[in-house]
Amino acid sequence: MQVAACGVCRTDLHVVDGELPNPKLPIVPGHEIVGRIDKVADGTDALSIGQRVGVPWLAQTCGQCRYCRNGSENLCDRPLFTGYTRDGGYATHVVADARYVFALPQDGDDIATAPLLCAGLIGWRSLQIAGDGQKIGLYGFGAAAHIIAQVACWQGREVFAFTRKGDDAAQAFARTLGARWSGSSEDAPPEPLDCAIIYAPVGSLVPLALRAVRKGGRVVCAGIHMTDIPSFPYDILWHEREIKSVANLTRQDGEEFFKIVPKARIRTETVSYPLTRANEALADLRNGRLRGAAVLVP
Ligand SMILES: [Zn+2]
Ligand SMILES: [Zn+2]
């Protein structure tokens, strides 16, 4: 297919930095791809030439392992991932397995849609895993949090946004998207949270989030990679608090999420870069210089 836009995800930084095991090398990164089909393999009837589609992180699963058989294909024993173990969307064209591609509305803004393919999808999965608590904390207010804050507000929840200390711009941005409170990650929220999702790859946020949630509250780690979690007193986990991680996505997550996008009127904040400036986009993401999500345009 022909790539129209490809989002830049924090996972791409982990791939580029060699922080994830066994990548395909050399690898073309990028797993938030929006484009149009320009060729289909014989026997593929689900997709047609010219169709607008999205290619996510989950590129292929085995369909046979215990996880695939029980509806948890996100945990497949023999998966392939776009832009990590299979070439991705920092390109003009990409080859994808038709069974793992999402059909998108034929008209739409390609750049605005790209971040939905991972920040949106993994964000959606992490929101479901966080449970249905009313007061939800989001740690790290980047691409995923800025989408999920909108979904959570649409669901009628109260969002508390935590950013790097002194990042007034991100804190103000969070409030424009409906957050009831925003502040620094070291701050205690004005009241105990029911659940929290950590999007920043920073292990020291785990004890901070545990301290912010109420008894029985849940802390979800939504990234693929995180720095070591420092030791912490058992006391802050006690009272049935939980820590859980989120891995990958299922195709069902995608089907659900893309139905919600128009209902919740999700709008994404993007900064676009020509494909030739991909390294600049990665550097801006690394240095926290972005508001919203970076998107590459070939
Ligand atoms: Zn499998
Ligand atoms: Zn991603």
Side-chain angles (χ1 to χ4, degrees):
M1 60 181 262
Q2 204 165 4
V3 177
C6 181
V8 176
C9 173
R10 182 161 291 280
T11 299
D12 302 342
L13 275 181
H14 299 314
V15 169
V16 169
D17 291 345
E19 286 170 328
L20 304 183
N22 308 317
K24 168 194 171 289
L25 290 175
I27 181 72
V28 178
H31 56 268
E32 297 182 312
I33 310 168
V34 176
R36 283 167 187 76
I37 305 280
D38 63 354
K39 209 164 194 179
V40 283
D42 291 342
T44 303
D45 345 311
L47 299 170
S48 51
I49 306 281
Q51 188 174 355
R52 184 169 178 263
V53 294
V55 180
W57 169 248
L58 188 74
Q60 217 168 64
T61 54
C62 76
Q64 287 158 11
C65 71
R66 60 185 292 183
Y67 302 103
C68 282
R69 280 187 281 117
N70 77 4
S72 307
E73 65 180 1
N74 59 308
L75 301 178
C76 175
D77 283 333
R78 289 177 294 279
L80 285 177
F81 297 114
T82 311
Y84 172 30
T85 54
R86 184 179 173 124
D87 281 331
Y90 287 24
T92 56
H93 292 77
V94 68
V95 179
D97 183 325
R99 297 169 300 171
Y100 294 82
V101 160
F102 297 115
L104 296 175
Q106 206 53 24
D107 300 312
D109 182 333
D110 296 329
I111 293 173
T113 303
L116 301 178
L117 268 303
C118 179
L121 279 176
I122 304 272
W124 169 244
R125 185 172 180 85
S126 64
L127 183 63
Q128 285 174 296
I129 287 182
D132 54 9
Q134 177 69 16
K135 297 180 202 311
I136 183 165
L138 303 177
Y139 285 79
F141 207 82
H146 101 284
I147 295 169
I148 290 315
Q150 296 175 57
V151 178
C153 289
W154 170 72
Q155 291 173 328
R157 308 196 205 205
E158 294 166 56
V159 172
F160 297 75
F162 298 81
T163 74
R164 295 183 212 212
K165 199 171 184 170
D167 194 347
D168 300 338
Q171 290 168 17
F173 179 42
R175 285 192 296 274
T176 66
L177 294 175
R180 210 193 99 188
W181 174 93
S182 59
S184 141
S185 301
E186 286 83 28
D187 295 342
E191 49 197 301
L193 306 175
D194 297 313
C195 51
I197 308 174
I198 302 177
Y199 291 112
V202 181
S204 58
L205 291 173
V206 173
L208 289 171
L210 277 173
R211 288 181 198 277
V213 297
R214 63 164 170 80
K215 289 184 277 189
R218 184 178 294 171
V219 173
V220 176
C221 303
I224 191 170
H225 176 82
M226 194 178 233
T227 55
D228 286 354
I229 301 171
S231 69
F232 53 83
Y234 176 61
D235 182 46
I236 63 174
L237 179 62
W238 164 239
H239 281 125
E240 304 193 346
R241 291 181 180 87
E242 294 174 85
I243 305 174
K244 207 165 184 325
S245 67
V246 172
N248 313 317
L249 69 139
T250 65
R251 282 172 282 181
Q252 199 190 332
D253 293 330
E255 307 296 339
E256 289 168 6
F257 178 66
F258 282 110
K259 283 193 191 119
I260 285 171
V261 169
K263 289 190 205 159
R265 296 171 184 268
I266 293 173
R267 60 178 183 86
T268 54
E269 182 95 4
T270 56
V271 182
S272 60
Y273 298 73
L275 176 58
T276 48
R277 283 170 54 203
N279 284 322
E280 204 176 309
L282 285 166
D284 287 349
L285 175 61
R286 187 190 302 280
N287 297 315
R289 281 196 292 257
L290 286 166
R291 190 173 106 156
V295 179
L296 302 178
V297 181

